[in-house]
Amino acid sequence: MNFFRGVMGGQAAGPQPSGAETIQKLCDRVASSTLLEDRRDAVRALKSLSKKYRMEVGTQAMDHLINILQTDRSDSEIIGYALDTLYNIICSDEEEEQDENTQKQVDDLGAQFTDHFIQDPEHLTLLLTLLEEFDFHVRWPGVKLLTALLKNQGPQVQGVILVSPMGVSRLMDLLADSREVIRNDGLLLLQQLTKSNAAIQKIVAFENAFERLLDIITEEGSSDGGIVVEDCLLLLLNLLKNNSSNQNFFKEGSYIQRMKPWFEVGDDNSGWSAQKVTNLHLMLQLVRVMVSPVNSPGATASCQKSMYQCGLLQQLCTILMATGVPADILTETINTVSEVIRGSQVNQDYFASVNAPSNPPRPAIVVLLMSMVNERQPFVLRCAVLYCFQCFLYKNQKGQGEIVATLLPSTIDANSISAGQLLCGGLFSADSLSNWCAAVALAHALQDNLTQKEQLLRVQLATSLGKPPVSLLQQCTNILSQGSKVQTRVGLLMLLCTWISNCPIAVTHFLHNQENVPFLTAQISENLGEDERLVQGLCALLLGICIYYNDNSLENYTKEKLKQLIEKRIGKENFVEKLGFITKHELYSRAAQKPQPIFPSPEEMLFDHEFTKLVKELEGMITKAVHKSSEEEKKEEEVKKTLEQHDNIVTQYKELIREQDAQIQELKEQLSSMTSQNEQMQATMTQQLSQIQQHKDQYNILKLKLGKENQNQGEGSQVNGMQTEELTQLREDVEELRKQNALLQTQLDDKDALINKLVSKYEIRPLERVKSILDMTIEWTNTLLARVPQSSNPENDGSMDGAKMAELESRLTTQLTEMGRLKAEAKSSTESRAELEQQLASSTSTVAILQTEKAKLQTAVQESKKEQDDLLILLSDQDQKIFSLKQRLKDLGESVEDEDEDDLDAKDQMDDDEEEEDDDEEED
């Protein structure tokens, strides 16, 4: 004990051992001590030294600590000390400011110890097993240690956990822990576990993670909650980002509907806490993950539909138009609404109907555009509004038409501000950023919409009093030629390229101005600085579009003359080189990556995402068009005409073939119908022929009968007092009796089989008598019926008189009555059999119920026995402690009352009695 007092801070005489020596002695004690208490004290001492002497403890003690985890699992206290020590040497919790080199050394040291720990995968498996312990002193340090291992060597640890049986499931149980500190640290652990590992993300999601995390967020107060809500949201982002399977599972599980209450913002939006801003920002990011443009179009469209149906889009638009919302939340909300409506016609229509709470009410689009062209608004907010406008117009020809219509003379309202007026105001303002944003926004109103490109040519602008109005196209070229800022000119050139591409009428309007082509050639041919190269490239693109989409309606600016002008003034190679400046610009590749305009500064805001697609599509075509000679073009035109004629001929033949196919199909259907009708008629004819043959046979038979009757009529009209009509009636009655006999025979055979079955199963002897009676009845009836035809024969009419016929009928009636009674008895026997079967089924079900109740009672008995055994163990431990304490009191000279000993004896007696009762119950 003196040794440990020295280690724990006690003063000892003589020279003090160094830290390494002390740690070495403690490691020897951990390895060699046979008493658990000595090992526990040594591990506790190592824990206290692990922060100050991290290197020494990690180097010398790690293997001993791992051995402790394997061998001393029964003692939670020493396991907790070992886990804390391992955590201290793997992860440094020191928060003091350190220079870069020191911090790097600390990180390298933690990575080295982590590598040593995970060299054997069994160590991680052991750690996962320890996490199943409910003891706080084991579970909590185990969670922290595993989190530190994941931070240092994430992929390697993830691989071991992934192949470990039930590894992820054990970690998911941490979220259900009632102790908040373990649950919260479990969230941090799962954050590290799910980073950049799609397989683990899927397993965590299918372990009901979404349900648990959303429940925790609701319990903690949603957006008003604390850091726990933030951790849950970060984990949800890990699970959903770039994971289409989890996104689909989240949507199919109706979890999108549960996100709506997060965005319920009241009227009083003042005094938002920093944590609430962070939480709401993450919630908006979570919505954007579900509808991101990088997702598959089908999945995005499905999520957009769900968000509209559950009212989430409406809730976001409410935040958009609310007052007092922090600027960064408002910006992120605009970006979120943008992606929720992008490409979804229903959501775009709803967004167009949203009005701001102003007097008079204004459309939300107009209010947002007012912010975009206002140079006093934050840069990120203006970018967000531009993105929202672009998403509103994306694949929305209806919305494009509504925006362009606000610029046309017939729809302009002098009493209200429209979107078109704001765009024109921004296009010609003194702020270059407003020029660029307005030009790009107007270009999106024309994207892939030939009708609106032609409609925009009608727009006229009044530049000043006393001067005639000029077209919007002419005004754009006028500003371009005045030599404004690069950003303004780039925006106008992108607008003009988008406008006249794939629109020959717009190209003709542009070339009709005699100043445009000389300006473009002058810009391209000059040798300007680096900043002007982009403008030169865009001018070359614009001139190339004028060549490619030229319909040769202007004599002075046909395709051939424009190409000759390029060859003389610029040179074809120089033109192509200047055209290539666009795609070589570093900002071009950045804008081509994502639809959202994200720029670090306003000066770098030069390219639009959709415009980069247009450049990629046109560059090659323009290069080929410029290099082609007039003869090649003529040949191509001839080839095109030939191909068109060929296509027309092919189209005509295709139509003819389609018509013939339709006729052939119709004829086939008619042939099939006629064939089926023919088969039906053949069958009908065959049937009719057979009926005719039957009628002929019947006719011949009747003819023969009629001849015999005529012969008999000559001998006498009455034989033995019985006329011919009566004999015929008697024969018919006999035939009817034969049919009834055959039917009864069949029924009796069925009853006979049933009786045999009942007799064999239930051994019902009385039915044998019924069977014998039925047999006698059948035999007698057959005999009787066999005699009747002989007595009915006309040649033997003398052997039967009226008295015998009456007796025959009475006996037959009696026999039929007896047969009816036997049928009733057979029916009664059938009913009794069914009742017996029902009783048997009832008894069987009763036995099953009793067996189930017996199993339940046996289970309850076993549980009660287990509880009693646990109580006995606890009482035994308590008695042992009391006895040891009394013994120590006696050793110290204290007196011990006899009542305590009597109580102990009484308790022992009670324990013995309980054990005897348990033994009796087990014997029972």
Side-chain angles (χ1 to χ4, degrees):
M1 295 300 292
N2 293 332
F3 169 75
F4 290 110
R5 290 193 187 96
V7 171
M8 302 304 293
Q11 298 295 327
Q16 296 295 323
S18 63
E21 294 174 352
T22 304
I23 292 168
Q24 180 62 44
K25 293 179 181 179
L26 291 173
C27 291
D28 294 340
R29 182 60 61 89
V30 171
S32 61
S33 295
T34 57
L35 292 178
L36 178 61
E37 294 181 357
D38 291 345
R39 293 198 300 275
R40 186 190 304 130
D41 292 337
V43 174
R44 186 190 299 116
L46 287 172
K47 174 189 171 184
S48 63
L49 296 172
S50 58
K51 291 186 178 180
K52 184 177 180 180
Y53 299 100
R54 183 183 177 195
M55 179 70 177
E56 291 79 3
V57 174
T59 305
Q60 301 181 39
M62 177 172 283
D63 293 335
H64 299 295
L65 295 172
I66 294 173
N67 188 49
I68 288 292
L69 296 180
Q70 294 172 339
T71 57
D72 291 331
R73 289 188 57 183
S74 59
D75 187 73
S76 60
E77 190 175 357
I78 191 172
I79 295 294
Y81 292 149
L83 292 172
D84 282 331
T85 308
L86 289 171
Y87 173 74
N88 290 339
I89 62 179
I90 286 175
C91 176
S92 177
D93 287 339
E94 296 179 1
E95 299 181 356
E96 293 85 1
E97 295 183 0
Q98 299 176 346
D99 56 13
E100 185 176 352
N101 293 331
T102 306
Q103 184 63 37
K104 186 177 180 180
Q105 292 175 0
V106 170
D107 294 339
D108 292 342
L109 191 61
Q112 292 175 8
F113 290 141
T114 302
D115 289 336
H116 182 71
F117 185 85
I118 65 175
Q119 278 181 355
D120 188 355
E122 292 297 327
H123 297 164
L124 282 174
T125 305
L126 174 63
L127 183 56
L128 291 173
T129 306
L130 291 174
L131 289 179
E132 294 181 344
E133 297 290 338
F134 188 74
D135 194 303
F136 180 82
H137 296 92
V138 176
R139 203 172 205 184
W140 187 41
V143 171
K144 294 193 297 180
L145 175 58
L146 187 55
T147 305
L149 294 173
L150 284 165
K151 286 181 179 179
N152 293 334
Q153 297 292 347
Q156 292 85 342
V157 179
Q158 286 173 338
V160 176
I161 294 176
L162 191 59
V163 299
S164 176
M166 300 296 292
V168 178
S169 300
R170 293 172 180 173
L171 302 181
M172 285 299 300
D173 292 339
L174 299 174
L175 297 183
D177 200 300
S178 58
R179 296 159 293 192
E180 290 189 1
V181 63
I182 294 180
R183 184 199 66 184
N184 299 342
D185 283 349
L187 289 172
L188 300 177
L189 170 60
L190 290 173
Q191 284 181 27
Q192 297 294 328
L193 180 66
T194 54
K195 279 185 178 180
S196 305
N197 193 307
I200 291 180
Q201 290 169 2
K202 292 178 183 178
I203 296 173
V204 171
F206 283 98
E207 288 284 346
N208 205 22
F210 293 140
E211 184 75 28
R212 295 186 185 182
L213 292 174
L214 292 175
D215 288 341
I216 294 173
I217 291 173
T218 303
E219 293 170 2
E220 295 291 330
S222 297
S223 60
D224 293 322
I227 191 69
V228 178
V229 174
E230 180 181 350
D231 292 337
C232 290
L233 293 171
L234 289 172
L235 180 54
L236 284 173
L237 284 172
N238 282 354
L239 296 175
L240 293 174
K241 197 170 185 179
N242 300 324
N243 194 317
S244 58
S245 175
N246 283 0
Q247 290 173 8
N248 184 61
F249 181 63
F250 191 85
K251 179 186 69 69
E252 295 295 336
S254 301
Y255 296 118
I256 290 178
Q257 289 82 334
R258 296 187 60 178
M259 298 167 69
K260 180 188 174 184
W262 296 351
F263 304 103
E264 293 178 355
V265 178
D267 298 333
D268 185 14
N269 293 318
S270 59
W272 283 35
S273 64
Q275 186 62 54
K276 182 175 181 179
V277 172
T278 302
N279 291 344
L280 204 55
H281 189 79
L282 291 173
M283 290 172 178
L284 292 169
Q285 285 186 0
L286 200 59
V287 176
R288 293 186 65 183
V289 164
M290 300 297 296
V291 292
S292 174
V294 301
N295 297 343
S296 64
T300 300
S302 179
C303 291
Q304 288 173 334
K305 181 180 179 181
S306 298
M307 290 178 183
Y308 174 76
Q309 292 176 344
C310 73
L312 180 58
L313 175 59
Q314 295 85 328
Q315 202 69 45
L316 293 174
C317 290
T318 302
I319 299 177
L320 202 65
M321 296 291 105
T323 57
V325 178
D328 52 348
I329 293 298
L330 180 60
T331 302
E332 189 64 21
T333 304
I334 295 174
N335 289 327
T336 305
V337 171
S338 305
E339 294 182 351
V340 173
I341 68 173
R342 188 176 188 268
S344 174
Q345 188 65 53
V346 175
N347 294 3
Q348 289 167 339
D349 293 341
Y350 171 77
F351 183 70
S353 65
V354 175
N355 290 322
S358 59
N359 193 13
R362 291 177 178 173
I365 298 174
V366 173
V367 175
L368 292 175
L369 288 177
M370 292 173 67
S371 301
M372 186 185 74
V373 298
N374 187 353
E375 56 183 307
R376 290 177 294 181
Q377 293 293 338
F379 172 64
V380 291
L381 178 63
R382 299 174 73 180
C383 291
V385 173
L386 175 61
Y387 184 45
C388 185
F389 192 73
Q390 292 173 351
C391 292
F392 169 67
L393 297 178
Y394 182 71
K395 294 183 179 180
N396 183 11
Q397 293 191 354
K398 178 182 176 183
Q400 290 175 326
E402 292 173 353
I403 296 298
V404 174
T406 59
L407 288 165
L408 300 178
S410 59
T411 58
I412 293 178
D413 187 2
N415 297 324
S416 62
I417 300 176
S418 64
Q421 293 173 348
L422 290 171
L423 291 177
C424 284
L427 195 62
F428 307 124
S429 69
D431 179 29
S432 61
L433 184 59
S434 296
N435 302 152
W436 190 91
C437 291
V440 171
L442 197 55
H444 277 262
L446 307 175
Q447 194 78 37
D448 300 327
N449 196 328
L450 181 61
T451 303
Q452 302 311 321
K453 292 178 181 179
E454 296 175 357
Q455 288 291 324
L456 200 62
L457 295 173
R458 299 170 48 201
V459 177
Q460 301 289 321
L461 300 175
T463 55
S464 60
L465 295 175
K467 292 185 179 181
V470 297
S471 66
L472 177 61
L473 183 66
Q474 181 63 41
Q475 185 64 17
C476 290
T477 57
N478 291 340
I479 296 174
L480 194 62
S481 61
Q482 292 174 3
S484 53
K485 293 182 180 180
V486 173
Q487 192 174 39
T488 301
R489 284 182 288 165
V490 169
L492 290 172
L493 285 168
M494 287 195 298
L495 172 60
L496 291 173
C497 291
T498 305
W499 192 346
I500 70 174
S501 65
N502 201 22
C503 183
I505 298 176
V507 172
T508 303
H509 278 72
F510 181 79
L511 294 176
H512 189 73
N513 187 352
Q514 301 295 328
E515 300 177 355
N516 289 341
V517 174
F519 169 75
L520 293 178
T521 55
Q523 287 287 320
I524 298 169
S525 60
E526 291 182 2
N527 292 322
L528 303 175
E530 292 289 334
D531 295 339
E532 297 293 332
R533 281 191 172 187
L534 180 58
V535 177
Q536 288 182 311
L538 292 171
C539 289
L541 179 65
L542 184 59
L543 186 57
I545 293 172
C546 292
I547 295 173
Y548 189 79
Y549 292 106
N550 196 334
D551 58 358
N552 297 325
S553 59
L554 293 177
E555 185 178 354
N556 295 331
Y557 294 111
T558 60
K559 287 185 177 182
E560 184 60 29
K561 289 184 178 180
L562 286 175
K563 285 194 289 185
Q564 291 176 0
L565 184 63
I566 289 175
E567 189 173 1
K568 292 178 182 179
R569 298 283 183 87
I570 305 170
K572 292 183 178 180
E573 298 300 330
N574 190 24
F575 178 84
V576 174
E577 182 183 359
K578 297 293 177 67
L579 183 62
F581 286 164
I582 302 174
T583 55
K584 292 179 182 178
H585 200 282
E586 60 176 347
L587 297 178
Y588 174 88
S589 58
R590 184 184 301 176
Q593 293 175 358
K594 292 182 179 180
Q596 183 180 359
I598 300 176
F599 304 98
S601 63
E603 293 77 17
E604 298 183 13
M605 200 170 186
L606 292 178
F607 281 105
D608 173 59
H609 177 75
E610 293 296 328
F611 181 73
T612 60
K613 296 180 180 179
L614 181 65
V615 173
K616 187 177 180 180
E617 177 185 351
L618 293 176
E619 185 179 8
M621 296 189 297
I622 292 173
T623 302
K624 292 180 181 179
V626 170
H627 282 293
K628 287 176 184 175
S629 62
S630 58
E631 295 179 358
E632 291 177 348
E633 286 191 353
K634 288 180 181 178
K635 290 181 180 179
E636 284 189 359
E637 289 179 359
E638 292 177 359
V639 171
K640 285 182 180 178
K641 290 180 181 178
T642 305
L643 290 174
E644 288 177 358
Q645 293 176 359
H646 181 267
D647 290 341
N648 292 332
I649 295 172
V650 171
T651 303
Q652 291 176 2
Y653 275 112
K654 285 182 179 179
E655 291 177 356
L656 180 61
I657 291 171
R658 288 193 189 97
E659 291 177 359
Q660 292 177 350
D661 286 341
Q663 292 176 0
I664 291 172
Q665 185 66 27
E666 185 177 356
L667 291 173
K668 284 182 178 179
E669 293 177 356
Q670 291 179 1
L671 178 62
S672 176
S673 176
M674 294 177 67
T675 303
S676 62
Q677 291 178 2
N678 184 30
E679 291 176 354
Q680 292 178 358
M681 292 176 67
Q682 290 287 347
T684 304
M685 187 174 66
T686 304
Q687 184 178 4
Q688 290 177 352
L689 288 174
S690 63
Q691 289 178 357
I692 290 170
Q693 186 64 35
Q694 290 177 2
H695 290 160
K696 285 182 179 179
D697 295 341
Q698 291 177 0
Y699 173 75
N700 293 329
I701 293 171
L702 291 174
K703 188 175 181 181
L704 292 173
K705 287 184 178 181
L706 183 61
K708 291 181 178 180
E709 289 177 356
N710 290 333
Q711 292 177 1
N712 293 330
Q713 284 179 358
E715 297 176 358
S717 59
Q718 186 173 1
V719 180
N720 284 340
M722 185 178 293
Q723 297 181 355
T724 305
E725 291 82 358
E726 294 178 355
L727 292 173
T728 303
Q729 183 66 33
L730 183 60
R731 292 190 185 98
E732 292 177 357
D733 293 340
V734 170
E735 188 66 27
E736 183 67 24
L737 287 172
R738 284 179 176 173
K739 292 180 180 179
Q740 291 181 0
N741 180 49
L743 179 62
L744 290 173
Q745 181 67 35
T746 304
Q747 293 178 354
L748 288 173
D749 290 340
D750 295 340
K751 297 298 181 180
D752 189 25
L754 179 62
I755 290 168
N756 290 332
K757 185 176 180 181
L758 290 173
V759 169
S760 62
K761 186 170 183 179
Y762 298 102
E763 297 182 357
I764 303 176
R765 298 300 180 184
L767 289 179
E768 294 179 354
R769 183 177 59 83
V770 177
K771 183 174 181 300
S772 61
I773 294 172
L774 287 175
D775 292 337
M776 294 172 61
T777 304
I778 292 169
E779 182 179 359
W780 184 86
T781 305
N782 290 335
T783 304
L784 179 63
L785 291 175
R787 293 176 180 177
V788 171
Q790 296 176 1
S791 62
S792 301
N793 194 343
E795 287 79 7
N796 300 324
D797 288 339
S799 62
M800 179 180 290
D801 56 333
K804 288 185 178 181
M805 284 294 298
E807 181 181 1
L808 177 64
E809 290 177 356
S810 63
R811 293 179 67 181
L812 184 61
T813 302
T814 305
Q815 197 65 29
L816 290 174
T817 304
E818 181 66 15
M819 289 173 66
R821 185 179 61 79
L822 293 175
K823 285 182 183 180
E825 290 182 3
K827 183 178 179 182
S828 175
S829 65
T830 304
E831 291 176 352
S832 64
R833 173 180 173 272
E835 184 176 359
L836 289 173
E837 289 181 348
Q838 185 176 2
Q839 292 177 1
L840 180 61
S842 175
S843 62
T844 304
S845 61
T846 304
V847 170
I849 293 171
L850 292 174
Q851 289 179 349
T852 304
E853 292 179 354
K854 178 183 177 182
K856 290 182 179 180
L857 291 173
Q858 288 178 348
T859 304
V861 169
Q862 292 296 329
E863 290 177 354
S864 63
K865 287 182 180 180
K866 185 177 179 181
E867 291 177 356
Q868 289 178 0
D869 293 339
D870 293 339
L871 290 173
L872 289 173
I873 292 171
L874 291 174
L875 288 173
S876 177
D877 292 342
Q878 186 71 20
D879 293 341
Q880 186 65 29
K881 290 181 181 179
I882 293 172
F883 180 77
S884 61
L885 291 173
K886 284 187 175 184
Q887 190 64 34
R888 291 181 63 182
L889 288 173
K890 290 180 180 181
D891 294 340
L892 294 173
E894 297 291 335
S895 60
V896 179
E897 296 180 0
D898 294 334
E899 293 179 358
D900 296 335
E901 294 180 357
D902 296 337
D903 292 340
L904 289 174
D905 295 336
K907 288 182 179 179
D908 293 338
Q909 184 63 34
M910 292 174 61
D911 292 341
D912 294 336
D913 296 338
E914 289 178 355
E915 290 179 357
E916 292 177 358
E917 291 176 1
D918 292 341
D919 294 336
D920 296 337
E921 290 177 358
E922 291 178 356
E923 291 176 359
D924 294 338

